[in-house]
Amino acid sequence: LCLAALLIGVFAEPEPAAEPQNYAGKPVYPAPHNDNCHPRKAPKCSKNDTETLCFKDYEYPDEEIRNAIKYDPLVLKRYADITEQSADNLVDGLTSLSEKHFDYSTYKGKTFDKSNRVGEEGYICPSDVHYGRPLRALNVDGEWRAIVQDITRPGYIQTHRIESCLFSGASCRTLPPCYGNKCMQKYVYQRMLSFDPCDVQKGIFIDIYKLLSACSCHIPGQLH
């Protein structure tokens, strides 16, 4: 009987292999390939290929970013942002309303112009201040990335305060030109949660960008 049972086991058909299981619990990651996409090519939202930030982008890869987040739903918990930003919490002693009403219409940036020595309330170096949520930006390596915005509910956003000199290199307002002063643009390196439309398999990641941060008056150490 033992020999018979052994022979039956030898000639019996093997059991079919078990179906592979997806223990990670993640959906299949879509990986479309686009030969025409190049990260160093400026997107259409960059006016004349000169803008390094886009606050409006009609080609924003919303669906692709959503797929990337579905593949790694914990990615948004690795990065946080303040929902509302204004001068009320980013500039000491000023409200957002007062900053919006600064008027530099008479300032032309000319050293010996009489309008340079007078002026209403505002900064010594006139600047344009914008609170915005970039949708696309040029990183420090010269490659364009899509910035993760408004993907989850009630909304995942990355807001930044952008301050650019109206007349970079011009004489500072209200100061006499004999000081040799001039307005200088300042920058800050900022990390933002990003997405590469040209290589979707990277998923969501943090990239570094050089953003306009302030316009300051500089007085040289030695006067000429």
Side-chain angles (χ1 to χ4, degrees), residues 178-223:
C178 59
Y179 286 107
N181 56 78
K182 64 178 180 179
C183 294
M184 298 182 66
Q185 180 67 57
K186 288 186 176 181
Y187 300 84
V188 62
Y189 288 102
Q190 183 68 51
R191 289 172 170 82
M192 290 190 282
L193 208 59
S194 310
F195 179 80
D196 186 356
C198 295
D199 190 355
V200 299
Q201 288 186 321
K202 290 181 181 177
I204 305 297
F205 55 92
I206 292 177
D207 212 338
I208 303 176
Y209 305 85
K210 185 178 180 181
L211 303 183
L212 303 169
S213 64
C215 187
S216 298
C217 180
H218 176 260
I219 299 177
Q222 295 182 351
L223 302 180

Side-chain angles (χ1 to χ4, degrees), residues 100-194:
K100 288 180 180 178
H101 284 84
F102 290 166
D103 184 9
Y104 303 116
S105 59
T106 61
Y107 176 79
K108 306 301 181 183
K110 297 180 180 180
T111 302
F112 297 101
D113 191 280
K114 64 179 182 179
S115 65
N116 183 61
R117 298 187 294 274
V118 297
E120 301 297 330
E121 179 187 8
Y123 297 116
I124 292 180
C125 282
S127 60
D128 179 48
V129 178
H130 176 71
Y131 293 88
R133 303 166 185 172
L135 296 176
R136 207 176 291 251
L138 188 69
N139 70 5
V140 293
D141 294 323
E143 295 184 348
W144 283 91
R145 303 284 189 248
I147 308 302
V148 178
Q149 300 282 10
D150 294 324
I151 295 300
T152 61
R153 295 294 180 265
Y156 179 86
I157 60 175
Q158 300 181 89
T159 306
H160 296 281
R161 183 183 188 274
I162 309 297
E163 182 177 347
S164 58
C165 291
L166 290 181
F167 300 95
S168 182
S171 178
C172 304
R173 191 171 68 107
T174 73
L175 294 181
C178 59
Y179 286 107
N181 56 78
K182 64 178 180 179
C183 294
M184 298 182 66
Q185 180 67 57
K186 288 186 176 181
Y187 300 84
V188 62
Y189 288 102
Q190 183 68 51
R191 289 172 170 82
M192 290 190 282
L193 208 59
S194 310

Side-chain angles (χ1 to χ4, degrees), residues 81-115:
D81 184 58
I82 301 173
T83 303
E84 295 294 335
Q85 293 186 14
S86 69
D88 294 335
N89 53 30
L90 292 180
V91 180
D92 290 340
L94 287 179
T95 65
S96 57
L97 182 61
S98 62
E99 194 174 38
K100 288 180 180 178
H101 284 84
F102 290 166
D103 184 9
Y104 303 116
S105 59
T106 61
Y107 176 79
K108 306 301 181 183
K110 297 180 180 180
T111 302
F112 297 101
D113 191 280
K114 64 179 182 179
S115 65

